[in-house]
Amino acid sequence: MANIISDETIEYVGILAKLELSDEEKEQAKKDMGSMLDYIDKLNELDTTGVEPMSHVFPVNNVFREDVVTNGDDRDNILANAPEEKDGAFVVPKTFD
Amino acid sequence: MSLMKMTAVELGSRIKSKEISAVEAARAALDQIKSVEDKVNSYVTVLDEDVVLERAARVQQEIEAGKLTGPLAGVPVAIKDNMCTEGILTTCSSKILSNFKPGFSSEAVLNLEKAGAVILGKTNMDEFAMGSTTETSYFGPTKNPWNTAHVPGGSSGGSCSAVAAGECFYALGSDTGGSIRQPSSFCGVTGIKPTYGTVSRYGLIAYGSSLDQIGPVAKDVTDCAVILDTIASYDAKDSTSVKREYDFASALKDDVKGMRIGIPKDYFGEGLDSEVKEAVLNVAKTLEKKGAIVEEFDLSLVSYAIPAYYVIASAEASSNLARFDGVKYGYRTEDYEGLHNMYKKTRSEGFGPEVKRRIMLGSFVLSSGYYDAYYLKALRTKALIKQAFDKAFASYDMILAPAAPTTAPKLGDSLSDPIKMYLGDIYTISVNLAGLPGISVPCGIDSKGLPIGAQFIGNCFDEKKIIQAAYSYEKTRDMMLSDMCV
């Protein structure tokens, strides 16, 4: 395997991805990501000098509209799916003292 | 059972002529679900019988009142479980959405309902559409109705198996890297991935937003064209929706005279099963006999499509799936200390291994220091792949290819080696990268008794050409591939 993923990298990716991995999962993730990147490195065979990155196949432009509210008050409908709600708001754990 | 062998359009016309009522059709579908569902597991959710029959009765009234006159009025349908359906569980086959009942319906579903569709339930899929076998579902794998020891393909495996097993008359699927066309080929049904932007993605739970498209899965090409006419619409709520012409059903003509069909040599080399190869090349011979001009050519860049896809799709997935955090909807972990711990534990318990693998890869390729080397490199590769297709379509009206390198593998054989599983998407993935339309049609059965699919790929907005070619081919096919095996 050409790409060796370090413990630090997996730790960092875990922070970015907001995932908490067990030791066993970390070892598996290091192996999987290493072999995926080895495979992806195949792209380096291609000379892409001067090629513009293409994010969309068609030209995509911003769609503008007047800044007016068009949807109704959907609060209760939306909150119906909340794991926890109180007084018309989402409840989250305390974030500061 | 013979009722369930009808195509959606046949059923629709018999409902219109009052030979069959929408209620009878719904009851027949529910009965078939009852008798085979425990063998195939096509559905995550089957709606209550009362709800389905009540809706069917209402649709029947509107047909009789002359309010619903379309070809799909009263025809029962199944919806892939990544499309939001108001008040109906929409799980993406994931634990993290296992209790999610959306407050709205996706645009494609609304378009069907306006046309008088009767929804039967929500079909199983790979978790968040990430997979090629429907084995990564939190609700257990779907099995191939032709042989239940085999997978139905994925990620729209539940939609395709439901159509093949007669558990609905047609279904909606979604296709990010082949997720309609590959399972259609494995299940012996017909499926279209339209040009990017043709069907609104509003209410489709995003995986790779620049690649995702909703499309029909059905028993034949006619159904697919009619369903696509019904679900396609310009939608201001989807910023990548394209204003374009539809009228796909007008292309249902048995005529390929003078059509130029290109066969990419690089699609027929190493890794392609010999029986699949023979069956797909027979399609070319058939079309040639009917007057098409068939030629081999070099498409090039084929082996770069999969690595480019996994960088782009994983990057988009890592961003799209950031919204699942246990705050607004879905699963929340039981015990946690503080906000960040709640996010992390919710996501770690709520996502399965394949989803985590792709979120991590996506986070990595987008992280500073790697963005240029991986993400931008993949987007540059995508531009080259698009150019290769542009060049091909300057010479050909369409490309003929296999839908997948093999027929359906056995359950449990694919997940152990992700890269090997990803290679199964080699003939479908570049179509998504280039935003092209593709249709998979059954073209044979291998020595194991499993269906083989051929894929017609068209230039952007050229659905009509591939529909016409697929329809013309279908007219020559003597076997009825939707004969059920369950």
Side-chain angles (χ1 to χ4, degrees):
Chain A
M1 202 189 289
N3 285 285
I4 308 291
I5 306 298
S6 65
D7 290 331
E8 291 75 27
T9 302
I10 281 296
E11 205 64 46
Y12 179 55
V13 169
I15 292 167
L16 292 175
K18 288 259 182 293
L19 289 171
E20 189 177 68
L21 302 181
S22 68
D23 289 343
E24 201 184 314
E25 280 180 311
K26 272 183 204 158
E27 284 312 306
Q28 188 62 43
K30 277 159 68 177
K31 226 176 83 198
D32 289 346
M33 197 180 295
S35 61
M36 276 304 290
L37 293 177
D38 286 350
Y39 181 53
I40 290 164
D41 281 342
K42 190 175 172 52
L43 297 180
N44 293 329
E45 295 169 12
L46 276 180
D47 182 7
T48 52
T49 322
V51 179
E52 277 295 305
M54 178 186 262
S55 54
H56 277 89
V57 282
F58 310 125
V60 176
N61 301 309
N62 257 338
V63 180
F64 291 103
R65 63 166 173 81
E66 290 304 312
D67 188 16
V68 284
V69 178
T70 51
N71 54 333
D73 177 7
D74 214 15
R75 191 184 70 180
D76 294 343
N77 192 15
I78 289 165
L79 282 170
N81 270 298
E84 209 183 334
E85 56 115 359
K86 194 182 163 191
D87 304 332
F90 296 112
V91 175
V92 294
K94 207 163 153 186
T95 50
F96 56 88
D97 288 310
Chain B
M1 191 47 229
S2 66
L3 184 60
M4 293 311 302
K5 292 202 175 191
M6 274 180 206
T7 68
V9 169
E10 278 166 8
L11 175 69
S13 82
R14 295 207 192 188
I15 290 175
K16 205 183 256 180
S17 65
K18 300 200 173 77
E19 281 171 69
I20 299 164
S21 77
V23 176
E24 281 166 345
R27 198 183 294 280
L30 290 168
D31 286 348
Q32 177 69 358
I33 292 172
K34 248 180 244 161
S35 79
V36 302
E37 181 58 11
D38 61 337
K39 298 188 197 88
V40 289
N41 195 34
S42 301
Y43 287 88
V44 173
T45 303
V46 177
L47 299 193
D48 281 346
E49 198 167 305
D50 298 348
V51 173
V52 176
L53 296 177
E54 203 186 296
R55 161 79 181 156
R58 211 165 52 241
V59 168
Q60 181 66 35
Q61 279 172 6
E62 290 186 26
I63 294 168
E64 284 166 18
K67 285 185 206 154
L68 282 171
T69 55
L72 296 174
V75 181
V77 60
I79 309 288
K80 188 177 179 179
D81 212 17
N82 59 352
M83 284 168 233
C84 286
T85 39
E86 189 175 350
I88 301 170
L89 211 56
T90 299
T91 70
C92 269
S93 289
S94 179
K95 182 180 177 182
I96 211 158
L97 281 178
S98 53
N99 57 1
F100 176 55
K101 286 187 179 171
F104 69 105
S105 286
S106 55
E107 197 68 10
V109 167
L110 287 176
N111 286 343
L112 280 186
E113 286 179 332
K114 265 182 250 158
V118 176
I119 295 175
L120 295 162
K122 305 295 292 289
T123 55
N124 202 12
M125 53 187 277
D126 280 294
E127 186 180 1
F128 283 101
M130 298 178 193
S132 315
T133 64
T134 314
E135 290 172 294
T136 68
S137 167
Y138 176 64
F139 303 99
T142 295
K143 290 157 193 164
N144 193 314
W146 292 76
N147 181 336
T148 52
H150 291 254
V151 302
S155 68
S156 310
S159 289
C160 295
S161 85
V163 173
E167 292 180 286
C168 60
F169 289 89
Y170 68 103
L172 294 190
S174 70
D175 192 316
T176 307
S179 283
I180 286 175
R181 290 158 289 153
Q182 182 256 32
S184 290
S185 86
F186 285 3
C187 291
V189 297
T190 304
I192 297 184
K193 180 249 166 222
T195 304
Y196 186 75
T198 300
V199 179
S200 169
R201 293 184 294 108
Y202 179 73
L204 170 69
I205 298 171
Y207 157 27
S209 326
S210 75
L211 308 162
D212 297 339
Q213 262 298 284
I214 292 171
V217 176
K219 290 195 187 91
D220 68 5
V221 179
T222 301
D223 275 8
C224 280
V226 168
I227 299 159
L228 191 54
D229 273 329
T230 310
I231 59 175
S233 62
Y234 171 74
D235 182 8
K237 299 188 294 308
D238 170 0
S239 61
T240 57
S241 182
V242 175
K243 282 185 182 139
R244 59 166 296 189
E245 295 289 315
Y246 307 116
D247 195 21
F248 302 115
S250 69
L252 297 166
K253 289 182 279 203
D254 183 6
D255 179 15
V256 290
K257 271 186 209 83
M259 270 193 193
R260 296 161 303 160
I261 300 176
I263 307 238
K265 268 186 270 178
D266 22 15
Y267 273 18
F268 288 83
E270 204 190 330
L272 179 62
D273 177 272
S274 60
E275 290 182 78
V276 174
K277 182 176 174 175
E278 197 191 329
V280 176
L281 290 176
N282 277 337
V283 174
K285 279 183 204 149
T286 303
L287 293 172
E288 206 166 17
K289 267 188 225 148
K290 290 182 75 123
I293 303 149
V294 180
E295 245 177 56
E296 287 191 340
F297 76 106
D298 288 310
L299 180 62
S300 83
L301 300 174
V302 172
S303 60
Y304 302 103
I306 296 177
Y309 170 85
Y310 278 96
V311 172
I312 294 167
S314 300
E316 293 181 10
S318 73
S319 166
N320 280 326
L321 273 62
R323 73 191 63 177
F324 302 104
D325 57 6
V327 173
K328 302 173 293 300
Y329 35 67
Y331 171 80
R332 178 187 280 194
T333 184
E334 301 270 325
D335 302 304
Y336 48 85
E337 286 168 47
L339 187 66
H340 281 277
N341 183 251
M342 191 276 283
Y343 288 155
K344 278 194 157 191
K345 281 190 75 179
T346 294
R347 290 167 61 81
S348 303
E349 292 165 14
F351 291 135
E354 184 62 30
V355 174
K356 288 184 197 173
R357 184 152 49 217
R358 296 196 198 185
I359 292 177
M360 285 192 284
L361 179 67
S363 304
F364 180 78
V365 299
L366 288 176
S367 66
S368 84
Y370 297 99
Y371 183 86
D372 285 14
Y374 289 109
Y375 185 61
L376 289 185
K377 182 77 186 180
L379 291 185
R380 290 190 169 96
T381 306
K382 175 180 170 170
L384 293 177
I385 289 170
K386 174 86 170 109
Q387 281 172 21
F389 276 111
D390 286 347
K391 205 177 132 204
F393 289 118
S395 307
Y396 304 108
D397 291 309
M398 73 197 73
I399 292 168
L400 174 65
T406 63
T407 53
K410 280 199 166 137
L411 284 153
D413 275 2
S414 304
L415 293 187
S416 55
D417 185 349
I419 290 177
K420 195 177 146 206
M421 181 175 80
Y422 299 164
L423 278 171
D425 300 330
I426 189 147
Y427 307 126
T428 47
I429 252 172
S430 50
V431 172
N432 299 76
L433 288 173
L436 309 169
I439 180 169
S440 173
V441 284
C443 68
I445 294 170
D446 76 358
S447 50
K448 287 174 285 197
L450 294 166
I452 301 169
Q455 181 185 202
F456 292 93
I457 301 164
N459 201 356
C460 288
F461 309 114
D462 273 355
E463 276 87 353
K464 281 187 181 174
K465 285 185 183 172
I466 58 172
I467 286 170
Q468 188 167 335
Y471 178 79
S472 302
Y473 167 69
E474 194 181 67
K475 285 281 166 203
T476 68
R477 210 175 54 198
D478 50 1
M479 56 199 160
M480 183 57 192
L481 282 164
S482 55
D483 274 356
M484 288 123 237
C485 301
V486 173

